[in-house]
Amino acid sequence: MSDPSLPLQGAIYQRLSNDTALKGLLGNKKVFDDIPRDSNGNITATLPYVSIGEDQVLPDKASCLDGREVIITLHAWDKGPGFPKVKQISSAIIAALDDVELTVTGHRLVEFGLQDVRHLTEPDGITKHSVINFRALTEPAS
């Protein structure tokens, strides 16, 4: 079975990029699968924004199934003060994605939902960061 993580990432990107509530918090073009950087590697995106981050793909095999479990991480970023804005952004991400039906090309999405959320302060002491993990179970499309 092929890796479902790329088409899942695409489906998440489309869903978040078109979400009205999230656009209201971020503005347009603020969902990234690769955060824009200049030629020196410095981030050029202005806060707040959302980035699609890391994922892990695990086999989910049964006697009649060759599925995959995917844990995918999303990141919400903002400057303080405090956590209110980044928590509003992470709540909008959850509302847009938790238990929704996404089209994952080449795969059937059996289950998709929130796994956990963490809210952190970055080492600069100012930037707030939410780490939102979702769990997907997929099987081959028939």
Side-chain angles (χ1 to χ4, degrees), residues 9 15 64-65 71-72 93 95 100 103 113-114 119:
Q9 177 181 332
R15 179 82 176 200
C64 61
L65 175 70
I71 307 299
I72 189 161
I93 291 168
V100 298
T103 300
L114 178 67
H119 305 289

Side-chain angles (χ1 to χ4, degrees), residues 108-142:
R108 187 175 83 76
L109 192 59
V110 176
E111 184 180 317
F112 184 76
L114 178 67
Q115 184 174 33
D116 65 78
V117 181
R118 293 181 316 266
H119 305 289
L120 312 164
T121 301
E122 289 298 297
D124 66 7
I126 300 167
T127 306
K128 305 305 180 193
H129 177 194
S130 293
V131 180
I132 308 119
N133 290 305
F134 284 88
R135 177 178 172 264
L137 293 178
T138 68
E139 63 185 22
S142 12

